């Protein structure tokens, strides 16, 4: 369990909101039924990623969930393109307080406090009444372990925290959540995704829809798709050697072929010592040729598929239940 203090929300209202926002992001907004969501990139006209958000449809508005530091940037970017459209943007982050419950037993724990999630599909949100208060339950994206978010007024999330603690739910520190993110292989805006990255380079095809029609930056995305691939791709690496720093270059045949963007030494079951892992970008030809990939200090970066592995994600240090429950 952890508090979602670095997550923010933008509310989009107005009669033109669906048509307009569908033309601003990389995924299909117009097809969403109430409660459904999609992950999206926001691009420049050159197709470079400017931000990301998960967008949920509701009967009277659209909600954009993103990291708090992105809120001013995204509102400024989007507001520039509201011309004659009936659309309004509002930062409503201060009205919503969030908790995250992640781990193999997350759904059963929520069931025990009166918040059933059994039929809640990934990237869907449902409002329930809990102790005479409204709670939004969100089945969040996670390729390794179930992950749910609870959103309500702050007084309600305080009560939810107390209710979960009666079942010995373990609070997750930021470091543990970062380990889980790296094991998932989920790139983070500002860390792994900068404003020079192209959508297909990140490997996040879940953010792209190729039949929705025109949107900002769509021409570049379609051009890359028609050509078949990009020259560099996002990858996971198991590191053999000292833990490098983020930004360390990757080399093969004496040439720079990529960089590490996220690194961590992660304690795993059955391992005597924490295992160094990394996320980053590598030239596709180096992967195709199976070249040895080196980094500074004599280390070897072994490319691996993402997510890293289910057993790795089951380590007690990255789960939200007590170790004996995992």
């Amino acid at each position: 369990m952890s508090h979602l203090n670095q997550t923010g929300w933008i509310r989009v209202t107005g009669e033109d909101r669906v048509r307009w926002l569908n033309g601003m992001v990389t995924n299909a907004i117009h097809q969403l039924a109430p409660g459904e969501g999609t992950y999206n990139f926001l691009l420049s006209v050159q197709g470079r990623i400017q931000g990301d958000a998960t967008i949920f449809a509701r009967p009277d508005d659209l909600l954009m969930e993103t990291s708090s530091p992105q809120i001013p940037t995204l509102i400024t970017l989007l507001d520039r393109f509201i011309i004659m459209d009936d659309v309004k943007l509002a930062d409503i982050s201060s009205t919503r307080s969030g908790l995250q419950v992640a781990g193999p037993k997350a759904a059963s724990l929520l069931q025990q406090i009166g918040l059933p999630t059994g039929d809640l599909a990934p990237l869907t949100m449902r409002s329930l009444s809990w102790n005479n208060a409204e709670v939004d339950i969100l089945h969040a994206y996670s390729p390794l372990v179930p992950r749910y978010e609870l959103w309500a007024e702050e007084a309600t999330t305080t009560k939810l925290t107390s209710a979960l603690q009666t079942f010995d739910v373990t609070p997750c520190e930021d470091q543990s959540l970062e380990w889980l993110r790296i094991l998932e292989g989920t790139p983070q805006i500002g860390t792994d995704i900068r404003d020079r990255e192209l959508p297909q380079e990140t490997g996040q095809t879940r953010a792209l829809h190729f039949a929705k029609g025109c949107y900002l930056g769509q021409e570049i995305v379609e051009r890359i798709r028609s050509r078949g691939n990009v020259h560099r791709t996002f990858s996971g690496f198991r590191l053999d050697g000292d833990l490098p720093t983020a930004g360390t270059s990757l080399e093969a045949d004496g040439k720079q072929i990529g960089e590490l963007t996220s690194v961590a030494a992660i304690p795993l079951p059955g391992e005597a010592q924490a295992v160094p892992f990394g996320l980053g970008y590598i030239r596709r030809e180096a992967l195709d040729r199976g070249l040895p990939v080196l980094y500074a200090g004599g280390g070897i970066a072994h490319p691996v598929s993402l997510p890293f592995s289910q057993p790795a994600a089951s380590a007690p240090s990255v789960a939200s239940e007590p170790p004996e429950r995992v």
Side-chain angles (χ1 to χ4, degrees):
M1 177 181 67
S2 62
H3 291 272
L4 294 166
N5 296 324
Q6 294 300 307
T7 301
W9 293 85
I10 299 172
R11 184 177 184 230
V12 186
T13 56
E15 291 295 325
D16 299 328
R17 65 185 182 277
V18 174
R19 175 193 56 77
W20 174 83
L21 191 57
N22 195 62
M24 295 299 301
V25 298
T26 57
N27 218 329
I29 305 303
H30 63 293
Q31 297 178 352
L32 295 177
E36 292 180 342
T38 59
Y39 178 62
N40 299 262
F41 289 136
L42 290 89
L43 308 179
S44 68
V45 292
Q46 293 80 25
R48 306 289 176 175
I49 299 172
Q50 306 300 295
D52 68 345
T54 303
I55 300 174
F56 295 91
R58 300 198 302 184
D60 300 317
D61 58 19
L62 295 166
L63 293 183
M64 301 179 63
E65 182 183 29
T66 189
S67 60
S68 296
Q70 288 193 82
I71 294 285
T73 301
L74 294 188
I75 288 181
T76 299
L77 171 67
L78 292 169
D79 191 61
R80 288 172 47 204
F81 294 93
I82 301 175
I83 310 299
M84 298 293 290
D85 309 283
D86 181 9
V87 176
K88 292 184 179 179
L89 308 173
D91 178 1
I92 61 167
S93 305
S94 62
T95 69
R96 296 169 68 81
S97 175
L99 289 176
Q100 177 177 241
V101 181
K105 305 292 185 181
S108 63
L109 289 171
L110 292 174
Q111 176 75 40
Q112 290 181 78
I113 67 168
L115 292 172
T117 62
D119 61 344
L120 194 63
L123 290 191
T124 57
M125 181 168 54
R126 174 188 302 154
S127 294
L128 293 178
S129 178
W130 185 82
N131 287 3
N132 297 318
E134 185 176 286
V135 177
D136 287 340
I137 304 180
L138 191 166
H139 189 169
Y141 170 79
S142 179
L144 284 178
V145 296
R147 187 192 297 240
Y148 295 91
E149 297 178 9
L150 310 177
W151 291 94
E153 294 182 349
E154 186 172 358
T156 301
T157 56
T158 299
K159 294 177 182 177
L160 286 167
T161 300
S162 298
L164 288 166
Q165 287 173 339
T166 63
F167 291 95
D168 298 326
V169 175
T170 302
C172 275
E173 299 177 353
D174 290 344
Q175 180 63 79
S176 296
L177 294 172
E178 175 68 359
W179 289 341
L180 177 57
R181 182 186 73 80
I182 290 175
L183 291 172
E184 290 176 341
T186 303
Q188 184 177 66
I189 289 284
T191 301
D192 309 290
I193 300 176
R194 292 69 53 98
D195 61 6
R196 62 177 179 269
E197 263 74 63
L198 296 166
Q200 285 98 325
E201 291 178 333
T202 69
Q204 303 305 296
T205 55
R206 63 192 178 99
L208 303 176
H209 194 287
F210 293 104
K212 58 170 280 186
C214 294
Y215 57 88
L216 187 66
Q218 182 253 354
E219 181 181 352
I220 306 301
V221 174
E222 177 58 27
R223 187 182 305 167
I224 293 171
R225 186 192 69 82
S226 64
R227 291 178 178 177
N229 57 40
V230 286
H231 296 299
R232 61 199 286 268
T233 188
F234 192 68
S235 178
F237 302 90
R238 185 154 179 157
L239 306 175
D240 183 4
D242 294 337
L243 185 70
T245 58
T248 295
S249 296
L250 300 173
E251 296 184 355
D253 281 348
K255 300 178 181 179
Q256 183 174 339
I257 57 160
E259 64 176 319
L260 295 169
T261 53
S262 291
V263 295
I266 304 177
L268 300 177
E271 300 282 355
Q273 296 180 329
V275 179
F277 287 100
L279 301 174
Y281 294 90
I282 186 170
R283 300 283 295 184
R284 294 190 66 93
E285 61 265 28
L287 286 178
D288 295 340
R289 294 171 60 192
L291 298 176
V293 181
L294 308 178
Y295 62 89
I300 302 174
H302 303 280
V304 295
S305 60
L306 295 171
F308 281 104
S309 69
Q310 182 65 43
S314 300
S317 53
V318 299
S320 287
E321 292 85 14
E324 63 271 18
R325 289 177 179 246
V326 177

